[in-house]
Amino acid sequence: MRKLWIGIVILMLFNACKSNTKTALPILGYKTPVTKTVNGKTVTDTEYATIPPFKFVNQYADTITQKNLEGKIYVADFFFTTCPSICPVMHRNMLNVYKEFKDDDNFRIISHTIDPKYDTVPVLKRYADKLGISGNTWWLLHGEKGDTYKIGKSYLQSVSEKNPKGEYIHDGFFILIDKQKRIRGTYEGTDPAEVTKLIADIKTLKAEPDQIAAK
Amino acid sequence: MKIKVIGAIAILLIVIGASCQSDDQIEFKRYYSAGSLVYQQHCQNCHGDKGQGLSSLIPPLTDSTYLKNNKATLACFIKNGLKGKITVAGRSFDDQMQADDIAPLEIAKVLTYVANSFGNKMGTISLQQVQDDLKNCK
């Protein structure tokens, strides 16, 4: 009888040590405390940075604004079609994300070109065709340079003018945005292991209660 | 006695043969391993770690027939870039590859790497051969 009790205690200790499996992603970006009055009481809440409204044109010459992404989880990146360095490897990896979620209408990928002068809508369409993407899962977005650079900042990305060697400087990150337009993860787009993690994180994010609830 | 002499000569020939071959092999290995580093720095972003290319944008490096047919101009492709339509692995490509002005020895090494990776088997592409090929670039 005593042995049985010892056994039970040991079993309980083992169970106590089990770590909780991760079920939610962190929320990234700048936080601002907001003081509100709720039911006559003053409460301080944290407001997270969100992606501001925007207006761009995709490879089908359709206008795309924040409204087109309502109720959708999406991944954003910055590129240009003639990029000789990191873009091919980024989009080779992004194709894996595309293939995984291309049948999910509540998911999108948006790639902003940072070279709108060369990457006109027909050039973007041709690039999409050659990359082998179709439908509306993955949009290649064209817009004014200033607008693209500005929105880049809200994705915590650094994009800028050509350097003296004539090369564009841009980060190679993939940024995961939730249905509330908050940043939930950044991933090195040139690293296949990070992109595998992105795919896993998208699945985790989709299962979060406030993502399922959001329309 | 006679058999012993013949045997000894035979062994000697084998040893000589083996050592000559291993000299070539050492050179091949030197080119190949240095070439893999050049590949990582100059080629891999576009052509991929397995030479797989990227959809219809960037051709793969796995088409041994294409490499064999263009063996004498591969060095020029690297040095001067490549423009215009080409057919690789049964698919057509017409985007531009940038010129990359690296030293002829580096071209020889990276070509040896590519020509003996990704299912290709063309042996060493020597510095001498690259220098000769570069003279005939269009």
Side-chain angles (χ1 to χ4, degrees):
Chain A
M1 194 59 197
R2 212 166 136 206
K3 270 188 185 162
L4 185 69
W5 277 113
I6 291 170
I8 288 172
V9 168
I10 287 172
L11 252 175
M12 282 168 79
L13 282 175
F14 265 110
N15 277 334
C17 285
K18 247 185 210 164
S19 63
N20 286 327
T21 44
K22 199 174 115 192
T23 50
L25 302 179
I27 300 170
L28 308 178
Y30 301 107
K31 290 170 217 167
T32 38
V34 185
T35 310
K36 284 185 276 193
T37 312
V38 181
N39 299 334
K41 278 183 199 164
T42 312
V43 287
T44 305
D45 205 356
T46 311
E47 215 160 70
Y48 290 93
T50 55
I51 305 301
F54 58 84
K55 191 175 173 184
F56 293 100
V57 174
N58 71 6
Q59 72 266 36
Y60 306 114
D62 296 329
T63 302
I64 301 297
T65 70
Q66 72 283 354
K67 288 207 177 89
N68 299 89
L69 293 169
E70 254 164 36
K72 299 185 200 305
I73 288 168
Y74 71 95
V75 176
D77 76 349
F78 295 83
F79 86 113
F80 56 107
T81 61
T82 51
C83 165
S85 54
I86 59 175
C87 303
V89 64
M90 282 168 69
H91 281 178
R92 185 180 297 119
N93 292 333
M94 190 70 102
L95 269 177
N96 292 334
V97 181
Y98 169 80
K99 281 173 194 155
E100 185 76 32
F101 300 106
K102 71 173 165 15
D103 298 324
D104 181 354
D105 192 43
N106 293 321
F107 176 79
R108 291 285 183 272
I109 299 167
I110 59 171
S111 293
H112 289 273
T113 174
I114 58 169
D115 184 9
K117 204 171 157 189
Y118 183 84
D119 289 342
T120 55
V121 169
V123 170
L124 291 177
K125 176 67 169 66
R126 190 174 151 273
Y127 180 85
D129 291 344
K130 289 194 167 189
L131 192 60
I133 61 172
S134 57
N136 279 303
T137 305
W138 189 346
W139 287 325
L140 307 172
L141 298 182
H142 177 274
E144 291 286 324
K145 218 175 216 180
D147 293 347
T148 302
Y149 291 1
K150 214 174 110 196
I151 201 124
K153 279 188 191 148
S154 55
Y155 288 109
L156 310 176
Q157 295 303 289
S158 126
V159 281
S160 60
E161 286 290 335
K162 282 180 182 175
N163 69 7
K165 278 163 82 183
E167 296 158 340
Y168 284 90
I169 304 297
H170 64 121
D171 285 344
F173 283 95
F174 294 166
I175 307 103
L176 176 60
I177 307 295
D178 70 11
K179 292 182 182 177
Q180 288 78 24
K181 307 194 185 302
R182 300 172 302 190
I183 300 173
R184 302 303 294 273
T186 63
Y187 309 83
E188 185 63 74
T190 52
D191 181 353
E194 292 238 332
V195 178
T196 305
K197 185 174 181 296
L198 167 62
I199 291 172
D201 281 358
I202 292 169
K203 290 176 182 166
T204 305
L205 182 59
K206 281 168 72 167
E208 283 182 19
D210 66 341
Q211 297 304 308
I212 295 168
K215 286 276 167 332
Chain B
M1 189 63 194
K2 224 177 180 180
I3 292 168
K4 273 188 184 168
V5 170
I6 291 169
I9 289 169
I11 289 169
L12 197 67
L13 283 175
I14 289 167
V15 167
I16 289 168
S19 64
C20 283
Q21 199 182 19
S22 81
D23 254 7
D24 277 352
Q25 266 179 349
I26 286 168
E27 194 194 39
F28 170 77
K29 280 178 183 161
R30 203 180 283 142
Y31 268 56
Y32 185 88
S33 61
S36 84
L37 293 178
V38 178
Y39 184 81
Q40 282 168 31
Q41 283 170 10
H42 294 266
C43 319
Q44 188 166 303
N45 271 334
C46 291
H47 289 289
D49 57 345
K50 298 176 197 72
Q52 71 270 48
L54 178 59
S55 303
S56 299
L57 285 164
I58 298 159
L61 302 175
T62 51
D63 184 349
S64 299
T65 314
Y66 180 88
L67 293 179
K68 269 179 205 139
N69 290 345
N70 294 278
K71 196 178 176 187
T73 44
L74 294 176
C76 300
F77 292 170
I78 294 175
K79 188 175 163 47
N80 301 327
L82 188 55
K83 236 180 176 176
K85 201 168 176 177
I86 55 168
T87 303
V88 180
R91 289 179 287 154
S92 71
F93 296 86
D94 65 355
D95 283 277
Q96 191 181 340
M97 178 167 84
Q98 291 211 325
D100 195 351
D101 199 6
I102 56 175
L105 183 60
E106 284 192 295
I107 294 178
K109 285 171 177 171
V110 79
L111 283 180
T112 300
Y113 176 73
V114 169
N116 295 282
S117 303
F118 322 130
N120 305 316
K121 209 167 176 62
M122 288 165 66
T124 310
I125 293 177
S126 68
L127 174 61
Q128 189 57 52
Q129 194 184 329
V130 166
Q131 282 169 332
D132 292 346
D133 291 346
L134 286 177
K135 280 179 202 145
N136 301 321
C137 285
K138 281 172 202 158

